[in-house]
Amino acid sequence: MPAIASPRVDPFALDAHDLNARFWAERVRPLVKQERFAHIERVACLARDIALANGLDADKAYLAGILHDVARDMGDAELLRLAPPESEVDVEHPLSLHGRAARTVLERWGVTDSDILDAVEEHTTGPRDGKPLSICVYVADVSEPGRGVNDHIRELAFSDLERAYREALCCKVQYLQSKGKTVHPRTM
């Protein structure tokens, strides 16, 4: 079980993973819109399944999926406060900060597992240093069924996660460029 601490509940005292995950899901739910929470649940389930298929820690993947968009519905001012800009893209598009802002929120909540924190932070710009859990969550976020796109990436992730990641990254860059948006420096 991942090292996550909470001021209210000691997750190591829980007997079942689902109780721990439910605790964190209920903590995230009031901070996001209903449709965002449905997306979060789909990402968490897909991340768990991809992790299982690739020999990764499914519990960590599920929890990272539950936590990844905790800051997604925050306003620009709050995102900028929680994650000071590192680039012009951050200033122009504060929503690009929601992964870093989420990490800050989670650290304040007592989450200490670096794999989970990295996966949450990196789900917006792409994993650095080939971190498997970060790749898993990134691919799950890009290809979850509710998006209605990238089915081929989702299918590929079960047999070749690295290749699915490269494909997901290319799709994201192409999408941003087609919309005339700047690709985040952390993505490149």
Side-chain angles (χ1 to χ4, degrees):
M1 178 140 328
I4 298 179
S6 166
R8 288 190 241 161
V9 174
D10 176 3
F12 298 105
L14 299 174
D15 290 353
H17 157 73
D18 64 321
L19 292 176
N20 189 28
R22 193 174 321 133
F23 168 80
W24 291 105
E26 292 310 314
R27 192 131 190 220
V28 170
R29 185 188 304 267
L31 301 177
V32 298
K33 298 173 187 163
Q34 183 177 351
E35 59 272 10
R36 177 90 49 226
F37 193 74
H39 160 75
I40 286 169
E41 289 181 311
R42 289 189 300 269
V43 170
C45 289
L46 182 56
R48 177 199 58 220
D49 293 347
I50 291 170
L52 284 170
N54 287 278
L56 304 175
D57 188 319
D59 290 346
K60 281 187 180 187
Y62 185 84
L63 284 173
I66 286 293
L67 298 168
H68 85 282
D69 267 351
V70 69
R72 177 62 176 77
D73 291 338
M74 291 179 175
D76 290 353
E78 186 68 3
L79 291 170
L80 290 163
R81 186 182 70 74
L82 290 169
E86 296 177 342
S87 71
E88 200 57 37
V89 175
D90 294 339
V91 174
E92 293 173 10
H93 304 285
L95 191 56
S96 68
L97 296 168
H98 80 270
R100 286 184 41 228
R103 182 187 187 114
T104 300
V105 169
L106 298 177
E107 288 172 339
R108 290 178 181 176
W109 285 358
V111 177
T112 58
D113 186 294
S114 62
D115 291 335
I116 290 173
L117 291 169
D118 290 346
V120 168
E121 177 177 353
E122 296 172 348
H123 88 274
T124 53
T125 56
R128 297 175 300 214
D129 304 323
K131 298 172 193 152
L133 186 68
S134 294
I135 290 171
C136 179
V137 173
Y138 182 84
V139 168
D141 186 39
V142 166
S143 67
E144 65 93 349
R147 289 195 185 273
V149 294
N150 299 325
D151 295 347
H152 66 291
I153 293 171
R154 181 174 56 253
E155 291 173 21
L156 184 58
F158 289 96
S159 59
D160 190 343
L161 184 56
E162 273 295 323
R163 192 164 148 224
Y165 167 63
R166 289 191 304 274
E167 180 71 20
L169 199 58
C170 287
C171 285
K172 186 169 194 173
V173 168
Q174 289 171 353
Y175 169 79
L176 291 170
Q177 290 173 337
S178 76
K179 299 294 182 187
K181 296 182 178 183
T182 305
V183 177
H184 198 282
R186 283 188 176 200
T187 301
M188 305 311 284

